[in-house]
Amino acid sequence: DQGTTGTTCLVVDEGLRPIGRGYREIAQHFPEPGWVEHDPEEIWSSVLLTAEAALADAGIEARKLTAVGIANQRETTVVWERRTGRPVHPAIVWQDRRTAERCAGLPAELVRERTGLLPDPYFSATKLEWILSRTELPQQELAFGTIDAWLAWRLTGGEAHVTDRTNASRTRASRTT
């Protein structure tokens, strides 16, 4: 579980009983009033350290795992270079309000008709737009995702750029059914 204030890793047995646990806090950064950011590399490091601690606590090796699941802070937005994996900007956290003015200028009824949601800085679309407008790299060289996508990408060495349906439904341009 990669959450807003920390990362928790559990190792569970076949009966889904926890047999190992690791936890590490992560820093929140407030560069301006209403802005909340995380360092994506600190998040990645916290995942590695808590996984190592949970495996040690469980007394097993990583190769004995049969599955990995990710729970995460859904609307926190990360943009990284596809080639290097380097984040191009701090992650903009779900609580961040920097795009409130942009959201107020969007056609609310059209957005609601197409997505089922009202424009709000909570969602990732305007955060993505904000980050992209501040990077000089061509968009085709970048990858975007919420924390689950960032972690899956890192865990697979850049082989998998994925998310689950529940996260995708919060970032896509139309409703999921």
Side-chain angles (χ1 to χ4, degrees), residues 75-149:
E75 301 298 335
T76 297
T77 301
V78 183
V79 178
W80 64 94
E81 290 182 59
R82 290 180 189 273
R83 187 178 53 77
T84 67
R86 185 184 66 80
V88 300
H89 190 275
I92 300 179
V93 178
W94 60 271
Q95 301 159 305
D96 190 282
R97 303 303 292 172
R98 77 184 69 188
T99 64
E101 188 175 314
R102 172 69 172 125
C103 289
L106 293 172
E109 284 310 309
L110 178 62
V111 172
R112 184 180 193 148
E113 176 186 313
R114 293 192 178 169
T115 68
L117 305 168
L118 290 174
D120 192 287
Y122 170 77
F123 302 116
S124 58
T126 55
K127 292 180 187 115
L128 174 60
E129 178 185 55
W130 192 93
I131 292 170
L132 291 177
S133 72
R134 285 154 179 82
T135 183
E136 295 180 15
L137 295 170
Q139 290 182 14
Q140 63 270 21
E141 293 180 17
L142 303 174
F144 149 75
T146 50
I147 295 298
D148 66 320

Side-chain angles (χ1 to χ4, degrees), residues 1-2 7-11 20-24 46-55 57 65 69:
D1 176 28
Q2 201 306 295
T7 301
T8 301
C9 182
L10 296 177
V11 175
R21 182 181 190 277
Y23 176 77
R24 185 171 186 97
S46 75
V47 169
L48 295 177
L49 292 169
T50 59
E52 183 178 274
L55 288 166
D57 190 37
L65 297 176

